[in-house]
């Protein structure tokens, strides 16, 4: 049908059966059966039982399941296992960083093409391909375990005074030498590239399909639920991966071992969850393949929607040309402002997701595992709650594009105010011999060696912190001058420590001694920090779902999937890729004591300046939020809604009524 001589793409002429069932109307009645091409199944095979899921809620169920498994693998298991993989396959942190970045590299390369060409294709079947690739990538990532043989570890010697000449793994210093195990780096990168290719349709075509299939006022609630499920995945991945790391890596070979998970040489069963999740993800291939190109009622929903695309006074024509379509989106100022704001916010979110456990560990003196648990308790529920709340509010209030952008500015401003939590929730450093204070007035500051331990030949390459009875922390029992060790119920207790001369307490009746582990922090602001940081996370993520909805609204209907591709591309280039790098550099700048390996090469940081770390992270976060707010306000000012219009279905009814009259 044509209106004013122009084809109306949102209107499909009714079939003769539809005209007989509802004369005078151009759309199916609410109780009408879906057409054959809208049935769930393969070709003519469309069992009635499958039609129970042939709706937006059924699609959301499988979309959420795929989001969960993708999150478990990519953002959960890999993050948990990366340090274990370093140890098992003798990789350094720069190489494992390349493994982590490979996912985003594949995503950036493919997202524009998949979102552009997938818009014209069968979106659910694109997700079926994505499910297959995610499962395949997970299995490829686990492949090194099955081809690298049984893990072998060397002898570990206690670091007491005088130190023995032994090292971990009985390894000698041979700079430049590299084990053949490090060649598995390329297998891990291949697995990540496949995972990146599989994840691309999920957050581009999958999100656009939801927006196409539900009424405009419900889209934000559906997208919010789907996004919140994507955050459930990392939580499950951290818990599942953490528990499996307590099982020995080669348990399937029935290998006997005399080391425990507390031993630095321990390698856990990192590979098990990758295999299980890979096969589970493959179970989603069939359901996505069965969904039709469009859910029943989609044509009616599209016909009733009124476009809110940014109107700059120019007439935009639909084109199938990739460069022209991309250019039309890049010159859309509202879209690019929203995309940039979202990318800057993502930079902060991914930075804290990576380093919040490290911040808690150093500020409040907890173990790395407990700090990771606290970080997960704050980040995952806060992010999920923020997205669900914002999606529900936008849906219930039926906000248009202009008011959605105003909503984003409000939530970001509140998050900026809450960012001041770093000003009062920081803690100073506990006394550390040779770092923050001298050895009882002997030696020099920032020097671990003092007269009390200079004859111990201590190893700087092994960090085994102990807390002395003088309530001062030492780098290792050797640097505390301890010459004896005994195993007690509370753990190892060191005695005869020459550097501990003013004891304030005792350990098992030992005065000049030390106990394994860091000294307990005297900082008491942790509960306040976790509470206010939780609120900061909630309000930060309250902007995520509305931003996605606004991006889908401010572009023409036929460009929505491609707009999501542009959004995800910038999100990674400006956000998730540089975010951890920027935060890592900032945290490294607050380091006061670096590790030195057996070859004299500087490695990881052992001790940080807590005040400097807190101020640095607050400065980065506040700056990024101010930039995000500025771009969002610019989008609000520049946005111009299209001229007042009626929906396609209303136009059709009005036209047919005038013809009948």
């Amino acid at each position: 049908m044509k209106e004013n001589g122009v084809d109306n793409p949102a209107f499909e002429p009714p079939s003769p059966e539809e005209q007989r069932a509802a004369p005078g109307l151009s759309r199916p009645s609410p109780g009408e059966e879906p057409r054959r091409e809208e049935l769930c199944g393969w070709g003519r095979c469309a069992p009635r039982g499958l039609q129970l899921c042939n709706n937006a809620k059924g699609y959301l169920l499988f979309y959420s399941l795929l989001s969960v498994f993708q999150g478990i693998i990519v953002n959960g298991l890999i993050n948990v296992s990366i340090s274990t993989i370093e140890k098992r396959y003798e990789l350094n942190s720069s190489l494992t960083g390349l493994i982590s970045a490979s996912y985003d590299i594949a995503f950036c390369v493919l997202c524009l093409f998949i979102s552009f060409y997938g818009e014209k294709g069968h979106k659910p079947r694109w997700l079926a391909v994505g499910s297959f690739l995610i499962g395949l990538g997970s299995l490829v990532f686990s492949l090194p375990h099955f081809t690298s043989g049984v893990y072998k570890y060397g002898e570990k010697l206690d670091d007491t005074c005088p130190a023995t000449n032994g090292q971990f793994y009985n390894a000698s210093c041979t700079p430049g030498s590299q084990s053949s195990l490090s060649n598995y780096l390329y297998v891990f990168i291949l697995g990540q590239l496949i995972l990146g290719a599989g994840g691309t349709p999920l957050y581009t075509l999958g999100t656009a399909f939801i927006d196409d299939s539900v009424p405009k006022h419900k889209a934000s609630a559906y997208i919010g639920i789907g996004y919140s499920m994507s955050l459930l995945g990392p939580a499950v991945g951290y818990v599942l991966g953490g528990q499996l790391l307590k099982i020995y890596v080669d348990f399937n070979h029935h290998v006997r071992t005399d080391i425990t998970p507390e031993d630095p040489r321990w390698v856990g069963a990192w590979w098990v969850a990758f295999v299980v999740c890979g096969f589970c993800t493959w179970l989603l291939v069939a359901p996505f393949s069965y969904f039709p190109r469009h859910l029943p009622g989609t044509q009616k929903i599209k016909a009733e929607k009124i476009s809110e695309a940014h109107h700059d006074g120019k007439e935009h024509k639909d084109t199938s040309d990739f460069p022209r379509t991309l250019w039309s989106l890049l010159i859309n100022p509202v879209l690019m402002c929203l995309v940039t704001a979202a990318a800057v916010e993502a930079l902060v979110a991914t930075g804290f997701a990576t380093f919040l456990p490290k911040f808690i560990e150093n500020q409040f003196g907890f173990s790395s595992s407990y700090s990771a648990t606290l970080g997960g308790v704050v980040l995952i529920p806060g992010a999920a709650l923020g997205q669900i709340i914002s999606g529900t509010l936008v849906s219930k209030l039926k906000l248009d594009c202009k008011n959605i952008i105003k909503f984003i500015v409000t939530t970001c401003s509140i998050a900026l105010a809450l960012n001041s939590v770093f000003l009062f929730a920081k803690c100073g450093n506990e006394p550390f011999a040779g770092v923050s204070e001298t050895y009882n007035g002997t030696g020099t500051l920032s020097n671990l060696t003092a007269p009390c331990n200079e004859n111990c030949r201590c190893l700087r390459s092994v960090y085994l912190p102990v807390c002395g009875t003088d309530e001062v922390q030492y780098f290792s029992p050797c640097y505390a001058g301890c010459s004896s060790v005994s195993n007690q119920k509370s753990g190892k207790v060191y005695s005869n420590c020459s550097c501990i001369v003013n004891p304030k307490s005792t350990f098992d009746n030992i005065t000049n001694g030390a106990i394994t582990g860091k000294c307990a922090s005297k900082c008491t602001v942790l509960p306040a920090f976790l509470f206010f940081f939780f609120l900061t996370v909630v309000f930060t993520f309250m902007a995520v779902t509305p931003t996605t909805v606004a991006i889908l609204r401010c572009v023409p209907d036929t460009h929505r999937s491609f707009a999501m591709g542009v959004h995800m591309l910038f999100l990674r280039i400006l956000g998730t890729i540089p975010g951890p790098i920027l935060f890592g550099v900032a945290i490294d700048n607050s380091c006061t004591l670096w590790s030195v390996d057996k070859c004299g090469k500087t490695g990881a940081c052992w001790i940080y300046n807590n005040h400097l770390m807190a101020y640095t992270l607050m400065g980065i976060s506040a700056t990024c939020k101010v930039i995000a707010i500025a771009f969002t306000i610019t989008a609000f000012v520049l946005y111009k809604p299209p001229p007042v219009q009626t929906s396609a279905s209303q136009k059709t009814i009005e036209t047919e009524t005038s013809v009948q009259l």
Side-chain angles (χ1 to χ4, degrees):
M1 180 176 180
K2 292 187 177 182
E3 296 178 5
N4 300 326
V6 180
D7 288 328
N8 182 0
F11 174 75
E12 181 176 344
S15 64
E17 292 78 7
E18 291 173 333
Q19 291 177 340
R20 287 193 297 269
L25 295 179
S26 60
R27 48 192 168 88
S29 60
E32 190 174 350
E33 293 292 327
R35 294 170 294 180
R36 177 173 296 278
E37 61 269 20
E38 293 180 338
L39 293 176
C40 194
W42 267 96
R44 295 182 176 273
C45 180
R48 184 174 296 273
L50 291 180
Q51 310 315 313
L52 295 175
C53 296
N54 193 18
N55 50 57
K57 292 181 179 178
Y59 172 81
L60 179 63
L61 171 64
F62 292 105
Y63 174 87
S64 299
L65 287 174
L66 182 56
S67 298
V68 168
F69 281 115
Q70 188 267 351
I72 290 175
I73 298 169
V74 176
N75 300 316
L77 296 177
I78 291 178
N79 291 341
V80 168
S81 305
I82 202 71
S83 60
T84 300
I85 290 173
E86 283 184 9
K87 187 186 305 179
R88 174 67 180 90
Y89 296 98
E90 302 176 12
L91 302 171
N92 57 43
S93 296
S94 62
L95 294 179
T96 54
L98 179 59
I99 294 174
S100 299
S102 298
Y103 177 90
D104 288 320
I105 292 173
F107 198 107
C108 291
V109 170
L110 297 174
C111 67
L112 290 182
F113 298 98
I114 289 179
S115 59
F116 179 78
Y117 293 105
E119 173 66 38
K120 303 172 179 60
H122 196 299
K123 293 188 182 73
R125 290 183 183 170
W126 274 94
L127 265 67
V129 175
S131 302
F132 174 79
L133 290 176
I134 291 174
L136 178 63
S138 183
L139 294 176
V140 169
F141 201 90
S142 68
L143 188 61
H145 169 76
F146 300 98
T147 59
S148 58
V150 177
Y151 171 57
K152 297 179 181 179
Y153 54 88
E155 181 183 2
K156 172 180 175 282
L157 301 174
D158 284 320
D159 187 22
T160 54
C161 179
T164 63
N165 292 324
Q167 294 275 0
F168 283 112
Y169 312 108
N170 288 337
S172 59
C173 177
T174 53
S177 64
Q178 193 175 31
S179 169
S180 61
L181 288 174
S182 61
N183 291 328
Y184 282 102
L185 167 73
Y186 304 107
V187 180
F188 291 122
I189 291 177
L190 175 61
Q192 278 281 66
L193 292 175
I194 297 174
L195 286 168
T200 304
L202 178 61
Y203 295 110
T204 54
L205 303 178
T207 304
F209 189 78
I210 292 177
D211 191 66
D212 291 340
S213 305
V214 297
K216 184 179 296 184
H217 67 278
K218 293 183 179 179
S220 58
Y222 277 74
I223 293 173
I225 293 172
Y227 277 13
S228 64
M229 289 298 101
S230 68
L231 294 170
L232 178 63
V236 175
Y238 270 92
V239 174
L240 179 62
Q243 293 301 312
L244 288 172
L245 289 181
K246 297 178 181 179
I247 303 173
Y248 190 64
V249 61
D250 290 316
F251 74 93
N252 57 320
H253 293 295
H254 305 289
V255 176
R256 296 183 62 183
T257 177
D258 58 354
I259 59 175
T260 65
E262 287 72 29
D263 194 294
R265 298 166 296 166
W266 176 271
V267 170
W270 63 272
W271 54 274
V272 175
F274 285 99
V275 175
V276 174
C277 290
F279 284 110
C280 287
T281 307
W282 275 353
L283 297 177
L284 298 175
V285 174
F288 280 117
S289 300
Y290 295 153
F291 276 105
R293 182 187 293 263
H294 303 291
L295 295 179
T298 297
Q299 294 296 336
K300 174 187 173 182
I301 291 172
K302 286 185 176 181
E304 292 177 343
K305 286 183 178 179
I306 298 175
S307 175
E308 295 184 73
H310 170 64
H311 184 71
D312 56 3
K314 300 179 182 179
E315 183 179 355
H316 296 279
K317 297 181 180 180
D318 291 336
T319 175
S320 58
D321 185 69
F322 180 91
R324 290 183 180 178
T325 306
L326 176 60
W327 177 248
S328 69
L329 293 177
L330 293 178
I331 63 174
N332 184 327
V334 177
L335 171 65
M336 297 312 300
C337 284
L338 291 174
V339 164
T340 305
V344 175
E345 285 280 27
L347 184 150
V348 177
T350 54
F352 276 119
T354 305
F355 292 107
L356 181 62
K358 180 184 283 289
F359 178 83
I360 295 175
E361 177 183 355
N362 287 277
Q363 292 287 330
F364 305 105
F366 292 114
S367 65
S368 57
S369 59
Y370 186 65
S371 300
T373 301
L374 290 178
V377 168
V378 171
L379 288 170
I380 303 301
L385 184 62
Q387 295 191 98
I388 293 176
I389 290 175
S390 61
T392 303
L393 286 176
V394 172
S395 178
K396 293 294 184 183
L397 299 176
K398 299 182 179 180
L399 301 179
D400 58 17
C401 189
K402 192 85 171 178
N403 285 316
I404 289 175
I405 299 176
K406 189 186 298 183
F407 180 88
I408 298 170
V409 173
T410 302
T411 58
C412 289
S413 300
I414 296 174
L416 175 61
L418 291 170
N419 190 69
S420 60
V421 64
F422 289 98
L423 289 175
F424 67 86
K426 63 183 185 301
C427 298
N429 293 86
E430 298 297 324
F432 196 115
V435 178
S436 60
E437 63 178 53
T438 62
Y439 286 83
N440 300 303
T442 63
T444 58
L445 195 63
S446 300
N447 187 1
L448 294 177
T449 303
C452 62
N453 61 28
E454 61 183 356
N455 295 322
C456 293
R457 304 191 306 275
C458 300
L459 305 176
R460 178 77 179 271
S461 59
V462 180
Y463 180 46
L464 297 172
V466 294
C467 183
T469 52
D470 56 356
E471 298 182 0
V472 174
Q473 184 173 317
Y474 295 85
F475 186 85
S476 69
C478 181
Y479 278 104
C482 304
S483 59
S484 302
V485 59
S486 61
N487 292 315
Q488 306 294 338
K489 292 182 179 180
S490 57
K492 287 185 177 181
V493 175
Y494 297 89
S495 57
N496 300 324
C497 302
S498 58
C499 294
I500 301 174
V501 296
N502 295 315
K504 300 178 182 179
S505 59
T506 61
F507 296 138
D508 295 325
N509 297 321
I510 297 175
T511 54
N512 293 0
I515 189 171
T516 302
K518 299 178 181 179
C519 293
S521 174
K522 298 180 178 63
C523 188
T524 60
V525 297
L526 177 63
F529 170 77
L530 293 179
F531 175 75
F532 283 101
F533 194 80
F534 176 81
L535 293 180
T536 305
V537 174
V538 169
F539 280 97
T540 297
F541 278 83
M542 280 182 69
V544 174
T545 300
T547 299
T548 302
V549 175
I551 287 172
L552 292 169
R553 295 285 177 272
C554 72
V555 298
D557 293 350
T558 54
H559 295 167
R560 288 180 179 178
S561 295
F562 200 23
M564 287 301 299
V566 173
H567 170 48
M568 290 299 172
L569 176 64
F570 277 84
L571 200 71
R572 278 160 171 76
I573 292 178
L574 300 180
T576 59
I577 293 177
I581 298 174
L582 177 61
F583 271 67
V585 170
I587 290 175
D588 282 346
N589 285 335
S590 65
C591 182
T592 58
L593 179 64
W594 293 92
S595 68
V596 178
D597 66 13
K598 55 185 175 291
C599 297
K601 183 179 179 181
T602 301
C605 180
W606 294 131
I607 305 297
Y608 295 91
N609 183 323
N610 285 345
H611 286 293
L612 181 59
M613 180 189 292
Y615 286 129
T616 301
L617 296 187
M618 187 197 71
I620 294 175
S621 179
T623 301
C624 290
K625 288 185 181 298
V626 169
I627 294 173
I629 292 172
F631 274 100
T632 308
I633 293 175
T634 304
F636 178 82
V637 173
L638 295 178
Y639 175 72
K640 296 178 181 178
V644 178
Q645 56 183 305
T646 57
S647 65
S649 61
Q650 290 174 322
K651 290 181 180 180
T652 303
I653 295 174
E654 291 172 0
T655 302
E656 294 183 353
T657 302
S658 63
V659 170
Q660 291 177 356
L661 293 176

